[in-house]
Amino acid sequence: MSKSARNRVQRQNALTERTVPWGGIVFFTVIGVVAVVAITFAFLQTRTSSASADIQGLVQKDGLSRDHVATPVKYDSTPPMGGAHDAAWQNCDGRVYDQALRNENAVHSLEHGAVWITYKPDLAADQISKLKEKVEGNDYTMMSPYPDLDAPIALSAWGKQVKVQDASDKRVDAFLKAYVKGPQTPEPGAACNGAKDTP
């Protein structure tokens, strides 16, 4: 091959040689991952919002204090659904208590993502049994009698509460599904055992 032909081949190779645009590939991959995360988050928020929107009579409170205190707290709801609380949480790993709990310990459990089912002490035995079935063996749930309750049954999570007349009310399951370790949880993943084990 002549020298001029070799030069022509080398120039053609230099023009047709392509490098992989790694910068662009990385950039668009990162953008794609961020988009998938954002869409997933939006979907989960919508799903939870629609689940809570279906719970008639749901009471919600925002801006609740998360301070640890060593003194009794006067709560503005009965039972409380959040606010200042004791440093020790009430064990809530599917616990069924047969005596009233101290509010300040139970509220700490709500902060960890628990749902606290309370009921009037004179609630019928079959109703109590139905509630027990929903709690026993289910982490981040607990139940106890509550003497000053103004409804037969109340379900409380951090900043959320619904009161019902009957353990078979479909709102009981809806509330548990929406709020056991739900998006309202201020300390997701925090322990629900290893603290206060007695009322």
Side-chain angles (χ1 to χ4, degrees):
M1 183 183 286
S2 69
K3 186 175 180 184
S4 63
R6 264 197 313 271
N7 287 342
R8 212 171 24 251
V9 168
Q10 284 174 347
R11 271 191 311 241
Q12 284 175 343
N13 286 343
L15 291 173
T16 58
E17 230 175 61
R18 294 186 183 200
T19 58
V20 177
W22 288 112
I25 290 170
V26 169
F27 174 77
F28 286 110
T29 300
V30 168
I31 294 296
V33 168
V34 168
V36 167
V37 168
I39 290 167
T40 302
F41 179 77
F43 169 75
L44 291 174
Q45 291 297 102
T46 304
R47 190 180 67 160
T48 302
S49 297
S50 65
S52 61
D54 292 342
I55 302 174
Q56 281 205 320
L58 182 70
V59 176
Q60 303 186 71
K61 285 187 185 282
D62 296 318
L64 295 164
S65 168
R66 294 177 52 205
D67 295 339
H68 286 183
V69 296
T71 55
V73 177
K74 185 174 181 178
Y75 293 103
D76 61 0
S77 63
T78 304
M81 61 178 106
H85 51 269
D86 195 276
W89 59 90
Q90 189 73 42
N91 286 344
C92 51
D93 48 351
R95 297 293 174 111
V96 174
Y97 296 95
D98 60 3
Q99 295 175 41
L101 302 177
R102 188 168 172 262
N103 285 332
E104 292 80 4
N105 301 105
V107 168
H108 195 155
S109 301
L110 302 184
E111 185 182 37
H112 290 191
V115 167
W116 180 22
I117 300 178
T118 51
Y119 58 91
K120 279 187 162 186
D122 62 355
L123 189 68
D126 67 315
Q127 293 285 294
I128 294 172
S129 293
K130 284 179 185 175
L131 294 174
K132 279 184 181 179
E133 289 173 12
K134 297 174 188 303
V135 172
E136 288 177 329
N138 293 309
D139 281 348
Y140 293 88
T141 62
M142 60 185 178
M143 68 178 275
S144 68
Y146 200 92
D148 299 327
L149 199 56
D150 61 0
I153 301 164
L155 290 92
S156 304
W158 187 268
K160 314 285 182 188
Q161 189 173 82
V162 69
K163 294 180 178 176
V164 298
Q165 301 295 312
D166 190 279
S168 299
D169 191 308
K170 65 180 182 178
R171 292 175 293 171
V172 173
D173 288 339
F175 192 95
L176 290 165
K177 184 177 180 182
Y179 299 120
V180 169
K181 294 188 290 184
Q184 83 292 342
T185 304
E187 293 183 10
C192 221
N193 58 14
K196 192 168 184 235
D197 201 27
T198 56

